[in-house]
Amino acid sequence: QPWTVAPDFTHHAHSASLSAVAVNSRYVVTGSRDETIQIYDMKKKIEHGALLQHNGTITCLEFYGTAHLLSGAEDGLICIWNTKRWECLKSIKAHKGHVTSLSIHPSGKLALSVGTDKTLRTWNLVEGRSAFIKNLKQNAHIIKWSPDGEKYVTVITNKVDIYKLDTASITGTITTEKRISSLRFITDSILAIAGDDEIIRFYSCDSQKCLCEFKAHENRIKDIYSFEREGKHVIVTASSDGYIKMWNLDLNKIKGVPSLLCEVNTKARLTCLAVWLDQASEIKENSDKAATSSQVNEDEKSSILRKNKLCRTDKSDKTAKRKRKVAPEKQKLAAPLQKKKKKRNSSA
């Protein structure tokens, strides 16, 4: 049966563009330039609340299993959240500048983060403290563990450095022409890389050679995701052109171009993407999609946020933030949360 993508839950939750999204088996969380993290319960298809701990754009979100979420932001903090009660268990001042990316080791015992202080930091998640700091020559904006946890990669502009865990040294480098916007491990040894152009490239981590490249979109690609379903390796791509596309990748013919399964024009300027898989309904292929979009991003034209009936351009981000902070109904909601937080911290 042909694959289709149809929206089944749409919500205007943020007052600025989205900057990060993460999923686990139950929840989707979104981070924004409005400094909040919004939670959605995908089983009930409802908004579940907001996390107000960071000051500054939320830059990265990652779940570990069903019990924990890690968030990073431009305030330099990494917060560890319990997803049962949505409490902030620990707030770590991780970087002197912004936290740009984080990645949790498959074991859950350690995490890596990079920031605008030109450092790569290793975190002992068992004890919630810094374990190791490595100075980088430039700021890295992406860090990712391989699925087996034996290597990790950092991205500095258009360069991917591949590190081995046991030696913490670079074993190879992949360089692309354009700045890299996202990357995804398809297997332990194959990387899918998207840059600020319309092309997806698959690279071998071992030889650092490009195995295949193909034009996926009409505009720059913002995010790649992948999952396995019914024996298929599916690559999902989101672009500034507004399209979400799903591709079938044959790992036995990695040099062949993946075939397009389906596409949808969201008519929005997409910024980030994640796939929420409904484990309960393997058959319902068309409900597999949780994609996150934003009409307001980068140097885009003004956009109408229907939620607040507010027309604004990107430049008015700061005024929107100010409006958000003084909006009486928001203030009532934010103040008790912050009071509770202080009490909890002092009693901890």
Side-chain angles (χ1 to χ4, degrees), residues 59-107:
T59 52
C60 40
L61 293 165
E62 192 170 320
F63 279 105
Y64 182 72
T66 55
H68 295 96
L69 169 74
L70 265 67
S71 62
E74 286 186 353
D75 55 10
L77 297 179
I78 288 176
C79 294
I80 302 169
W81 304 88
N82 163 319
T83 62
K84 298 286 177 279
R85 293 173 60 187
W86 292 103
E87 291 177 301
C88 181
L89 302 173
K90 197 164 181 77
S91 177
I92 304 165
K93 182 69 175 128
H95 290 272
K96 288 190 183 107
H98 304 165
V99 178
T100 50
S101 181
L102 63 83
S103 186
I104 304 166
H105 189 267
S107 68

Side-chain angles (χ1 to χ4, degrees), residues 156-335:
I156 297 171
T157 317
N158 63 333
K159 187 174 66 127
V160 182
D161 285 325
I162 303 157
Y163 290 81
K164 274 183 75 177
L165 171 63
D166 50 9
T167 60
S169 59
I170 298 172
T171 61
T173 299
I174 295 163
T175 310
T176 59
E177 274 184 38
K178 296 272 172 78
R179 179 185 183 274
I180 293 164
S181 55
S182 65
L183 81 147
R184 183 91 184 167
F185 276 95
I186 305 302
T187 66
D188 290 315
S189 59
I190 297 170
L191 267 178
I193 297 177
D196 279 352
D197 56 14
E198 306 88 49
I199 296 164
I200 300 272
R201 294 176 177 89
F202 298 115
Y203 284 89
S204 158
C205 285
D206 306 322
S207 70
Q208 292 94 54
K209 286 192 168 69
C210 183
L211 304 171
C212 164
E213 62 174 60
F214 67 101
K215 183 181 172 181
H217 289 271
E218 293 303 316
N219 205 323
R220 64 177 62 169
I221 295 157
K222 297 298 286 191
D223 216 346
I224 322 172
Y225 210 88
S226 64
F227 64 92
E228 283 179 64
R229 200 69 179 244
E230 294 180 348
K232 280 189 171 75
H233 267 270
V234 181
I235 310 286
V236 191
T237 57
S239 163
S240 297
D241 64 13
Y243 277 87
I244 296 166
K245 296 189 183 186
M246 300 172 87
W247 308 84
N248 182 22
L249 174 65
D250 186 344
L251 285 176
N252 300 319
K253 302 176 194 158
I254 191 71
K255 289 185 166 66
V257 172
S259 57
L260 184 66
L261 289 167
C262 62
E263 61 178 38
V264 62
N265 184 2
T266 64
K267 299 186 171 64
R269 188 175 175 86
L270 300 171
T271 55
C272 47
L273 167 129
V275 175
W276 180 76
L277 293 170
D278 186 351
Q279 311 300 342
S281 60
E282 285 273 326
I283 317 110
K284 279 185 73 184
E285 293 294 357
N286 60 358
S287 70
D288 286 355
K289 207 72 220 83
T292 310
S293 72
S294 150
Q295 280 94 334
V296 192
N297 192 42
E298 289 164 6
D299 48 4
E300 274 316 282
K301 291 168 194 144
S302 67
S303 137
I304 294 163
L305 291 174
R306 285 166 204 83
K307 190 184 169 194
N308 331 358
K309 297 194 171 71
L310 162 71
C311 182
R312 46 176 277 270
T313 64
D314 251 15
K315 282 172 190 151
S316 67
D317 239 23
K318 284 197 174 68
T319 46
K321 218 172 268 181
R322 229 174 280 134
K323 275 182 197 159
R324 183 175 66 79
K325 282 180 177 155
V326 296
E329 69 275 17
K330 287 273 181 174
Q331 220 168 20
K332 272 181 210 153
L333 181 112

Side-chain angles (χ1 to χ4, degrees), residues 123-140:
W123 303 96
N124 176 332
L125 292 180
V126 181
E127 294 170 25
R129 60 175 179 81
S130 173
F132 188 71
I133 300 170
K134 179 182 170 61
N135 291 309
L136 302 173
K137 289 188 178 78
Q138 289 165 283
N139 291 326

